Amino acid sequence: MTGKAPDEGGVDTEDIGQAAAAIRRRKRVALTAAAITLVGFMAFPVITSFTTLLDGVVNGIGVGYLVGFAVMVLPVLGAVAFCLWANRVERGGGDR
């Protein structure tokens, strides 16, 4: 039998296990997103400086400018999505 006895004032071990699992998942998601963002930020100047990969033009706008915009905007959108997800989980709306 896990957890606390009804007459004890201790903490339910099942709740602790669920909280620890939620913390591990949140850390994993945050650190993965941070690593992807760091790689994107570090790779962009290298790709634009030393390759011709982003030299094209789309509708009069340079591909390098479009990718640079994405490198700046996507982490912000990811942070917003992470905050919405974390708030939903904390309110008890589920972990989807």
Side-chain angles (χ1 to χ4, degrees):
M1 183 171 157
T2 62
K4 63 181 180 179
D7 59 345
E8 293 178 8
V11 177
D12 191 354
T13 57
E14 189 173 312
D15 289 342
I16 292 173
Q18 289 175 349
I23 290 169
R24 282 191 304 272
R25 177 146 192 226
R26 184 177 288 194
K27 278 185 180 180
R28 186 180 69 242
V29 170
L31 291 175
T32 301
I36 291 169
T37 300
L38 180 65
V39 168
F41 275 131
M42 298 306 272
F44 178 69
V46 172
I47 290 172
T48 56
S49 297
F50 300 111
T51 69
T52 59
L53 190 62
L54 302 177
D55 286 348
V57 176
V58 176
N59 293 329
I61 301 173
V63 174
Y65 285 109
L66 295 173
V67 173
F69 180 75
V71 165
M72 290 185 296
V73 171
L74 290 178
V76 174
L77 294 177
V80 169
F82 176 78
C83 287
L84 293 172
W85 169 74
N87 288 338
R88 185 178 67 237
V89 170
E90 285 186 8
R91 284 193 303 265
D95 190 12
R96 292 184 245 158

